[in-house]
Amino acid sequence: MKYTGFLLVLFSSICFGVMPIFATFAYQTGLSVSVVLLFRFLLAAILLNLYVLIKGYKYPTGKTLIILIMMGGVGYATQSFLYFTALTLIGSSLTAILLYLYPAIVLLLSIFLLNTKIKKIEIIALILAMIGALLVIGIKFEQMNYIGILFGIGAAFVYSIYILAGSKVMQGIHALVGATVIISSASVVYLLFTLSAHATMPATTQQWTWVFAIAMVSGILAIVTFFSGMKIVGPVKASMISTFEPVVTVYLSYLLLHDTITRYQILGAILIITAAILISKEGNHE
């Protein structure tokens, strides 16, 4: 694996990791979850499509276009629905833990569906990353609801399929163009949902600042760099490197939102970073 791919996915995980922080500040201004999600995709879609048109990039057609639309309009929409429903049923900690099952699911699906050969060092890195993610997020079972657990696992499963689909379809197209179609498709779904719910739109400078930050950082930068990096390192390594995301979220929460950090979260961060280093060094000997 080249360092470029590793760094791109790592940067993507940082961009995704700051989204809960941005979202928290956005919620404090009075915006709802659906509105924040809408503008995360809508603003990103507008800016990306303008850039694609200015640069003269060609949009994909045929089967590739359909897959990308399904990834955005169905994949993102379904994963978000499952995730946020699980949050209301089993709480944030357990939901987050279940979501971070996706690296293991990606690994298993890659083995059985794509005949991917997994090395021992990758298995070790996966185990370290998963344990680290659990420790960073923290195991706090606020309530036990088996329907909520199924929704949480479902969110991880849908996200895993999304990653694998992206690893295939992105190989033949420009990562930025593919991300543009995905984000645009997701924005249409969220637009229809938000309009039907008659939600309050952003009105103040502060509200627009946070939704724009989410769109730019956790929308455009996060998705484009993830797919760009995944084209180099593959879906399994990309999903394992992405477990750095909760480290970013937890420590920014500590610095900016004054959340507490436990010794277990520090240990988890060390395990995740160790896993990422193992993946990086292993790839450079291939």
Side-chain angles (χ1 to χ4, degrees):
M1 180 186 68
K2 298 179 180 180
Y3 279 121
T4 301
F6 171 80
L7 292 174
L8 282 169
V9 179
L10 183 63
F11 181 75
S12 172
S13 70
I14 294 173
C15 292
F16 278 124
V18 301
M19 183 172 65
I21 310 300
F22 289 161
T24 298
F25 287 124
Y27 299 151
Q28 290 175 356
T29 67
L31 294 175
S32 66
V33 172
S34 62
V35 170
V36 170
L37 287 172
L38 164 64
F39 283 97
R40 175 198 176 193
F41 292 109
L42 185 59
L43 291 178
I46 293 172
L47 293 173
L48 281 173
N49 277 286
L50 285 174
Y51 183 80
V52 169
L53 291 173
I54 292 173
K55 296 293 290 185
Y57 292 134
K58 293 183 178 180
Y59 288 95
T61 58
K63 183 178 178 180
T64 299
L65 178 61
I66 294 175
I67 293 175
L68 290 172
I69 292 174
M70 294 292 287
M71 285 177 63
V74 178
Y76 254 139
T78 302
Q79 193 271 346
S80 298
F81 170 77
L82 293 172
Y83 183 80
F84 285 102
T85 302
L87 282 174
T88 65
L89 297 174
I90 58 177
S92 59
S93 297
L94 184 52
T95 301
I97 290 170
L98 292 174
L99 179 63
Y100 277 90
L101 290 172
Y102 81 83
I105 297 174
V106 169
L107 176 64
L108 294 174
L109 290 177
S110 295
I111 294 173
F112 291 107
L113 299 181
L114 305 179
N115 296 318
T116 301
K117 294 181 179 180
I118 305 299
K119 298 180 180 179
K120 290 182 180 179
I121 192 67
E122 293 175 332
I123 296 176
I124 293 173
L126 173 64
I127 294 173
L128 290 176
M130 293 298 295
I131 294 174
L134 294 179
L135 291 174
V136 168
I137 296 167
I139 304 177
K140 298 177 182 178
F141 299 98
E142 291 113 298
Q143 45 186 317
M144 186 63 69
N145 183 301
Y146 292 106
I147 295 178
I149 290 174
L150 289 175
F151 273 94
I153 295 174
F157 186 79
V158 172
Y159 191 51
S160 300
I161 296 176
Y162 170 85
I163 289 176
L164 289 174
S167 71
K168 289 297 182 182
V169 73
M170 285 292 183
Q171 291 299 326
I173 61 175
H174 194 291
L176 188 142
V177 177
T180 299
V181 177
I182 291 172
I183 292 174
S184 299
S185 302
S187 70
V188 172
V189 173
Y190 283 117
L191 178 61
L192 294 175
F193 175 79
T194 304
L195 290 177
S196 65
H198 303 290
T200 302
M201 297 291 117
T204 67
T205 301
Q206 193 176 26
Q207 289 176 331
W208 280 111
T209 298
W210 290 119
V211 295
F212 188 78
I214 292 172
M216 290 296 296
V217 178
S218 302
I220 295 176
L221 287 177
I223 295 175
V224 171
T225 53
F226 179 80
F227 282 124
S228 297
M230 186 170 63
K231 289 177 70 173
I232 300 173
V233 304
V236 175
K237 290 187 177 73
S239 65
M240 287 190 279
I241 298 169
S242 293
T243 55
F244 188 72
E245 179 183 331
V247 178
V248 176
T249 302
V250 168
Y251 289 109
L252 284 180
S253 296
Y254 170 75
L255 292 174
L256 301 177
L257 303 177
H258 307 296
D259 288 349
T260 58
I261 297 179
T262 69
R263 67 184 70 177
Y264 297 108
Q265 290 174 323
I266 294 174
L267 176 59
I270 293 173
L271 290 177
I272 290 174
I273 294 172
T274 301
I277 292 174
L278 284 176
I279 296 169
S280 175
K281 288 186 176 296
E282 179 275 330
N284 282 281
H285 292 289
E286 290 180 354

